[in-house]
Amino acid sequence: MRPYTSTSSLLECGVLQGSVLGPIIFLLYAADVLQLIKRHQLHRHAYADDSRIYGFCRPLETVSLQDRISACIDDVSSWMRTNRLQLNPSKTEVLWCSSSCRQHQIPSRPFRIGSTAVSPVSSVRDLGVHIYSDLTMRSHVVATVRSCFAALRQIPSVRRSLTPQALLTLVRALVVSKADYCNSVLAGASANLLDRLQFVLNAAARLIFFSKEVRTHQPLTPRTSLATCSGEDSISAVRSRVSLPARHSAIIHLADSLRRAADVDGRRHLRSSNTESPVVPSTRRSTLGDRAFPVSAARA
């Protein structure tokens, strides 16, 4: 694929950077990589040129998984060179994920990415979501709260020049949108983390309804809620906002992981078979298993 240059007014091949079709066309161009990764019994998620190769294993099989991923990356790098693409080891990150009680079993041996040794990290950013190694989403909440309060501190400086509707729009764009972005990953998160997000939304409501400054102890009433600001029935329900994205079926590959009770052979004679209720899969570990999309979405 040839990059577009400003020296020519005609696009001979490829697409403009930032275009809507760009990610789709690139995925079609690199579709063979998916089959290559499957040969190594690994999985892949991709968005345009950002690709993630991942696998899972038992604690005693980490060395085998690490060698298999390195061999897979070697094959991917070879395919990319053949197709005029380049793998960038300096932008490659490695993250081991496990429960909190198994963090001490995470290996620290560097991964071999071509001729480069890449050491595992404790947190990565994937499409705007900060993922910590213990999957508690603590780093994502901390980054979100920091970003929201940075915006809240700047809005009072221009508040006198804004109409009430413009102020609501500004809070929507700079605060509420950040708190709501990918909030479905917070399903099942601890109450402490959700309370920190609640603190952000309460501060935004106080900024709109009470003062020119962010007051943290001004009491809120049902009248002074962000319902006007966010379009939801209530701002004070951070937990309901977290479960809200799971109620939409626009994402087909996620919706396919849900099964109706009426489609299960052993439940066709139960009363639940006459409804559209999905089946809630059973899990072995509530801390991680209950947060999986098929479980949390079915409960929502």
Side-chain angles (χ1 to χ4, degrees):
M1 299 174 66
R2 287 181 53 188
Y4 175 77
T5 60
S6 59
T7 58
S8 174
S9 60
L10 297 177
L11 184 63
E12 296 180 3
C13 59
V15 293
L16 287 169
Q17 184 175 2
S19 66
V20 176
L21 290 177
I24 299 177
I25 293 178
F26 185 88
L27 288 177
L28 292 175
Y29 183 77
D32 292 339
V33 177
L34 180 60
Q35 300 301 324
L36 191 152
I37 294 174
K38 284 184 177 180
R39 293 195 208 112
H40 292 269
Q41 299 179 346
L42 297 170
H43 307 275
R44 178 199 180 206
H45 280 165
Y47 180 81
D49 59 343
D50 292 327
S51 299
R52 289 152 296 282
I53 300 174
Y54 65 96
F56 53 90
C57 67
R58 297 182 179 275
L60 298 179
E61 301 171 352
T62 54
V63 176
S64 173
L65 176 61
Q66 187 168 347
D67 293 339
R68 201 170 34 170
I69 291 179
S70 295
C72 177
I73 294 178
D74 287 340
D75 291 346
V76 171
S77 179
S78 176
W79 181 91
M80 295 179 74
R81 286 194 301 270
T82 305
N83 291 272
R84 288 183 275 179
L85 298 174
Q86 183 178 4
L87 179 68
N88 193 344
S90 63
K91 293 185 178 180
T92 302
E93 294 180 307
V94 177
L95 176 70
W96 285 101
C97 295
S98 71
S99 59
S100 301
C101 61
R102 292 187 178 274
Q103 285 291 302
H104 65 282
Q105 295 180 316
I106 291 180
S108 58
R109 188 178 70 147
F111 272 71
R112 180 183 57 80
I113 308 297
S115 59
T116 306
V118 179
S119 299
V121 296
S122 58
S123 177
V124 298
R125 184 181 180 185
D126 186 11
L127 297 180
V129 177
H130 297 261
I131 303 175
Y132 200 72
S133 58
D134 60 1
L135 297 178
T136 58
M137 306 308 298
R138 182 171 59 253
S139 57
H140 178 68
V141 171
V142 169
T144 301
V145 171
R146 185 189 303 117
S147 178
C148 289
F149 270 111
L152 284 173
R153 294 187 185 97
Q154 294 176 359
I155 293 176
S157 63
V158 297
R159 180 174 179 178
R160 291 185 179 181
S161 304
L162 299 174
T163 63
Q165 186 60 40
L167 179 61
L168 291 176
T169 302
L170 197 60
V171 171
R172 267 202 211 106
L174 299 181
V175 180
V176 179
S177 63
K178 293 179 181 178
D180 282 346
Y181 178 73
C182 288
N183 59 5
S184 57
V185 301
L186 299 176
S190 65
N192 178 265
L193 294 180
L194 296 182
D195 287 343
R196 298 186 69 173
L197 287 177
Q198 182 68 66
F199 190 75
V200 169
L201 298 181
N202 290 348
R206 293 184 183 100
L207 175 65
I208 293 173
F209 294 102
F210 290 114
S211 171
K212 298 177 183 178
E213 305 202 1
V214 182
R215 294 183 180 177
T216 57
H217 301 291
Q218 185 74 30
L220 291 175
T221 64
R223 184 182 180 83
T224 56
S225 69
L226 274 189
T228 334
C229 176
S230 62
E232 301 298 340
D233 293 335
S234 172
I235 177 191
S236 42
V238 166
R239 289 159 181 79
S240 66
R241 297 173 74 88
V242 166
S243 64
L244 185 65
R247 300 174 187 173
H248 299 278
S249 58
I251 307 177
I252 304 300
H253 72 279
L254 290 179
D256 289 343
S257 62
L258 302 176
R259 290 193 306 163
R260 297 186 309 163
D263 297 334
V264 180
D265 293 337
R267 304 187 63 171
R268 289 180 178 175
H269 300 290
L270 301 179
R271 285 179 294 179
S272 59
S273 62
N274 298 324
T275 66
E276 295 296 323
S277 301
V279 177
V280 179
S282 59
T283 59
R284 296 174 55 189
R285 296 178 177 85
S286 59
T287 54
L288 295 179
D290 286 359
R291 295 174 58 190
F293 180 83
V295 179
S296 60
R299 289 177 177 172

